[in-house]
Amino acid sequence: MKKIAIVLAGCGVFDGAEIHEAVLSMLAIQKQGAEFQLFAPDIAQSHVINHLSGEIMTEERNVLIESARIARGNIKALSMYNAAEFDALIFPGGFGVAKNLCNFAFKGSSMEVLPEVINSIQETHQMNKPIGAMCISPVIIAKLLPGTELTIGNDVETSVLVEELGGKHKIANFTEVISDKKNKIFTTPCYMLQANLVQIAKGTENLISKVIEACI
Amino acid sequence: MKKIAIVLAGCGVFDGAEIHEAVLSMLAIQKQGAEFQLFAPDIAQSHVINHLSGEIMTEERNVLIESARIARGNIKALSMYNAAEFDALIFPGGFGVAKNLCNFAFKGSSMEVLPEVINSIQETHQMNKPIGAMCISPVIIAKLLPGTELTIGNDVETSVLVEELGGKHKIANFTEVISDKKNKIFTTPCYMLQANLVQIAKGTENLISKVIEACI
């Protein structure tokens, strides 16, 4: 049975992992006969957003502890990730990716990536294992694996930044997956487009299917 | 197009709404050609649980604001719910149901139910519209609509409490729905059993299907 690691960036679209993309990735993996293990970095969130008002709240939360809500407690610190133990690595989206896993939301194409995220992607890539990234997560791939073909949907401003980071941006529609087979990188827009839940479910299924096909 | 209200109890299995059940209910409704509106009570959570350690945290959170994470901001206060505007009402599970929507987790069969939850269920039931409840949520139905046939899975201790509350408990297996057609109450165990995500997806689909069939 293929074993797939999923990296979460908190719990909630505006400051953490996009919950629908995360849950539907987990479902897609199980539906396709594989199993998953969740990971998240054990760091403070860059901030906490009130998801009702959109305003910043004056509290502090931890990315691993909040991600554990999506995981029902079954999650590990990303520093424990060992690429040798997994067949593939998946990054759901959400602003938390651009705020906690890297600082793209604040620095655009001059962003930095969290060291344990760099390690997880580089180790997995060096072992020739596939990586799937949805929504805004491909910005991290663009930075770490320059020259990779990938998508963040059709947003012009963001795709210019992706190109500045080093990615080769391809426009993609709802549920479409851009496959860079040479680099084993698979990306899909999910909520980077005005998608509904049925489209998110289909997009994550398509992505996971391509990732599993590319497993050794 | 049928319009279904979903009531959330926060964001996270141990102190709020069970995230997988909530998301997969939303998906099931869209897949079956209906639309949903999310609601949650605008009250303080009874407490906040660290979902990694299981311990109580010394912070305060609001049920509506945390539920908005699952809703991507698109959610209303439960006091705004008007049964005349909807075809059905759905309660996903999670301990937040037993801690925030009622106090079953603390008082067992001598529990009280939150006034806006009482109103939403009574109004919907009086208009002869169906109600679906998953996981632990049926305890509220047992209390408010005594004599209803329903399930919380197969846990003996909880099913005894359900009977004390006034419910007629029926044992149910993974993905099975107990239908009380006279009362238009539909229940399924979800994570009251040791289910996986594929079973949760199937259980919520089966429940939503029965609920939609029972819409006038």
Side-chain angles (χ1 to χ4, degrees):
Chain A
M1 188 184 265
K2 298 296 179 196
K3 206 169 167 184
I4 300 181
I6 302 176
V7 181
L8 299 181
C11 179
V13 57
F14 300 132
D15 60 14
E18 209 301 307
I19 291 173
H20 307 176
E21 292 170 6
V23 171
L24 295 173
S25 299
M26 293 155 69
L27 175 63
I29 289 170
Q30 275 191 356
K31 268 175 94 170
Q32 295 181 42
E35 59 183 349
F36 61 81
Q37 171 64 50
L38 296 162
F39 290 90
D42 186 6
I43 57 168
Q45 287 188 196
S46 73
H47 57 208
V48 180
I49 300 279
N50 175 324
H51 278 55
L52 189 64
S53 68
E55 286 163 13
I56 294 179
M57 298 172 87
T58 58
E59 27 179 298
E60 293 184 4
R61 296 187 187 181
N62 173 286
V63 175
L64 176 58
I65 291 172
E66 297 310 315
S67 299
R69 293 179 173 273
I70 297 174
R72 298 169 52 84
N74 185 4
I75 190 166
K76 294 178 181 175
L78 183 55
S79 58
M80 310 273 287
Y81 174 74
N82 176 359
E85 294 170 3
F86 292 92
D87 296 291
L89 182 62
I90 300 290
F91 289 85
F95 277 104
V97 170
K99 291 175 174 180
N100 301 322
L101 303 191
C102 68
N103 53 19
F104 179 77
F106 310 111
K107 293 194 166 185
S109 62
S110 44
M111 75 175 195
E112 294 111 25
V113 182
L114 195 71
E116 51 259 61
V117 173
I118 298 177
N119 290 344
S120 68
I121 291 174
Q122 286 185 340
E123 274 184 30
T124 306
H125 186 64
Q126 280 159 13
M127 291 185 181
N128 196 30
K129 293 176 176 180
I131 299 172
M134 35 194 94
C135 187
I136 194 65
S137 297
V139 297
I140 296 179
I141 305 295
K143 168 85 176 180
L144 299 183
L145 304 174
T148 301
E149 289 190 356
L150 43 75
T151 188
I152 51 78
N154 60 16
D155 182 71
V156 175
E157 201 182 325
T158 311
S159 61
V160 167
L161 294 174
V162 163
E163 294 270 344
E164 284 177 23
L165 282 164
K168 285 189 192 163
H169 188 263
K170 301 281 171 189
I171 288 174
N173 212 332
F174 299 108
T175 78
E176 200 179 342
V177 177
I178 299 298
S179 302
D180 182 326
K181 290 189 178 170
K182 183 169 146 278
N183 289 305
K184 292 197 176 178
I185 301 294
F186 303 91
T187 54
T188 190
C190 287
Y191 279 123
M192 284 298 292
L193 304 174
Q194 295 293 321
N196 64 25
L197 265 161
V198 173
Q199 290 165 326
I200 299 298
K202 191 71 188 154
T204 53
E205 275 181 22
N206 291 347
L207 182 83
I208 296 300
S209 163
K210 298 281 187 192
V211 164
I212 289 178
E213 269 173 41
C215 287
I216 302 160
Chain B
M1 189 183 264
K2 298 296 178 196
K3 205 168 168 185
I4 300 181
I6 303 175
V7 181
L8 300 182
C11 179
V13 56
F14 300 131
D15 59 15
E18 209 300 309
I19 292 173
H20 307 176
E21 292 170 6
V23 172
L24 294 173
S25 300
M26 293 155 69
L27 175 64
I29 289 169
Q30 275 191 356
K31 269 175 92 169
Q32 294 181 41
E35 59 183 349
F36 62 80
Q37 172 63 51
L38 297 162
F39 290 91
D42 187 6
I43 57 169
Q45 288 188 194
S46 74
H47 57 207
V48 180
I49 301 280
N50 175 323
H51 278 56
L52 190 62
S53 68
E55 286 163 12
I56 294 179
M57 298 172 88
T58 57
E59 24 179 303
E60 292 183 5
R61 297 188 187 180
N62 174 287
V63 174
L64 177 58
I65 292 172
E66 297 310 315
S67 298
R69 293 178 173 272
I70 296 173
R72 296 169 53 86
N74 185 4
I75 190 166
K76 294 178 182 174
L78 183 56
S79 57
M80 310 273 286
Y81 174 75
N82 176 358
E85 294 172 3
F86 294 91
D87 296 292
L89 182 62
I90 301 290
F91 290 85
F95 277 104
V97 171
K99 291 175 174 180
N100 302 323
L101 304 191
C102 68
N103 54 17
F104 179 78
F106 310 113
K107 293 194 166 185
S109 62
S110 44
M111 75 174 195
E112 293 111 26
V113 182
L114 195 71
E116 51 259 63
V117 173
I118 296 177
N119 292 344
S120 68
I121 290 174
Q122 286 184 341
E123 274 184 30
T124 307
H125 185 64
Q126 281 158 11
M127 290 185 180
N128 196 29
K129 293 177 176 181
I131 299 172
M134 34 193 95
C135 188
I136 193 66
S137 296
V139 297
I140 296 179
I141 305 296
K143 168 87 177 178
L144 298 183
L145 304 174
T148 302
E149 289 191 357
L150 42 75
T151 189
I152 51 79
N154 60 16
D155 182 70
V156 174
E157 201 182 326
T158 311
S159 62
V160 167
L161 294 174
V162 163
E163 294 270 344
E164 284 177 21
L165 281 163
K168 285 189 191 164
H169 187 263
K170 302 281 171 190
I171 289 174
N173 212 332
F174 300 109
T175 77
E176 200 179 342
V177 177
I178 300 299
S179 302
D180 182 325
K181 289 189 179 170
K182 182 170 147 278
N183 289 304
K184 291 198 176 178
I185 301 294
F186 304 90
T187 53
T188 190
C190 287
Y191 280 124
M192 285 299 291
L193 303 174
Q194 295 293 320
N196 65 26
L197 266 160
V198 173
Q199 289 165 327
I200 298 298
K202 191 70 188 152
T204 53
E205 276 181 22
N206 290 348
L207 182 82
I208 296 301
S209 163
K210 298 281 186 191
V211 165
I212 289 177
E213 270 173 40
C215 287
I216 301 160

